């Protein structure tokens, strides 16, 4: 695994190279964390992960362009401030309200959260994960969560 490459599905079997990371620039833990995110935000545009593939030493993520990314409440840039996760409401009517933010020491810590269907958010408690994203524009992982439904 030497590189992680993003491609945009343009339809009719056409895939446009979009962005890539080399293993020499980011760690394997970041490669894996990125592969676990269902959405990717870059240059104000939101993309949905539609396929996660491997080709020899390359990790390949195929994206579908979803359009302009809708900004949420109290968005902050985390560039140069370490690794962070934001927990937000998935409800657009609530302007994707921020529930909590946590710093992480490593991407392995992020992976622990990204692998879960239910996460335990400090001070908030357990919440159900609805989707995950890596926001390149702000340098942060975002997890959209909702209340657990009691049956």
């Amino acid at each position: 695994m030497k590189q992680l490459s993003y491609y945009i599905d343009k339809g009719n079997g056409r895939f446009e190279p979009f962005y890539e990371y080399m293993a020499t620039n980011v760690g394997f833990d970041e490669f894996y964390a990125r592969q676990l995110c269902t959405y990717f935000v870059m240059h104000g545009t939101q993309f949905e992960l539609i396929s996660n593939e491997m080709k020899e030493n390359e990790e390949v993520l195929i994206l579908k362009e979803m359009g302009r990314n809708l900004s949420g409440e109290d968005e902050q840039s985390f560039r140069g401030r370490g690794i962070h996760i934001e927990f937000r409401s998935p409800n657009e009517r609530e302007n994707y309200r921020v529930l909590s933010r946590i710093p992480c020491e490593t991407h392995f810590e992020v992976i622990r959260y990204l692998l879960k269907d239910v996460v335990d958010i400090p001070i908030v408690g357990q919440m159900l994960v609805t989707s995950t994203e890596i926001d390149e524009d702000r340098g942060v992982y975002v997890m959209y969560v909702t209340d657990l439904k009691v049956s």
Side-chain angles (χ1 to χ4, degrees), residues 29-77:
D29 57 344
E30 185 172 345
F31 273 18
Y32 290 127
R34 289 174 169 281
Q35 292 176 64
L36 291 169
C37 293
T38 50
Y39 292 94
F40 178 79
V41 175
M42 184 176 246
H43 304 305
T45 302
Q46 184 181 51
F47 301 89
E48 181 178 11
L49 178 66
I50 58 172
S51 185
N52 190 339
E53 306 171 6
M54 64 169 41
K55 182 180 178 186
E56 297 174 2
N57 286 325
E58 180 182 18
E59 304 297 307
V60 177
L61 301 179
I62 309 296
L63 305 172
K64 175 182 172 186
E65 187 171 335
M66 303 301 291
R68 192 176 130 280
N69 184 53
L70 299 175
S71 295
E73 132 188 308
D74 189 27
E75 286 197 348
Q76 297 178 14
S77 176

Side-chain angles (χ1 to χ4, degrees), residues 94-143:
E94 293 181 351
N95 197 24
Y96 308 107
R97 180 173 50 91
V98 176
L99 302 171
S100 184
R101 293 183 173 108
I102 61 168
C104 296
E105 292 293 320
T106 68
H107 285 92
F108 285 119
E109 190 176 342
V110 174
I111 290 168
R112 180 174 182 232
Y113 282 89
L114 293 173
L115 286 170
K116 304 299 187 262
D117 295 317
V118 175
V119 292
D120 192 13
I121 304 169
I123 300 173
V124 175
Q126 288 191 318
M127 302 283 290
L128 179 67
V129 177
T130 62
S131 65
T132 58
E133 83 183 11
I134 176 76
D135 187 331
E136 277 293 336
D137 293 345
R138 299 187 307 116
V140 65
Y141 291 92
V142 182
M143 298 187 74

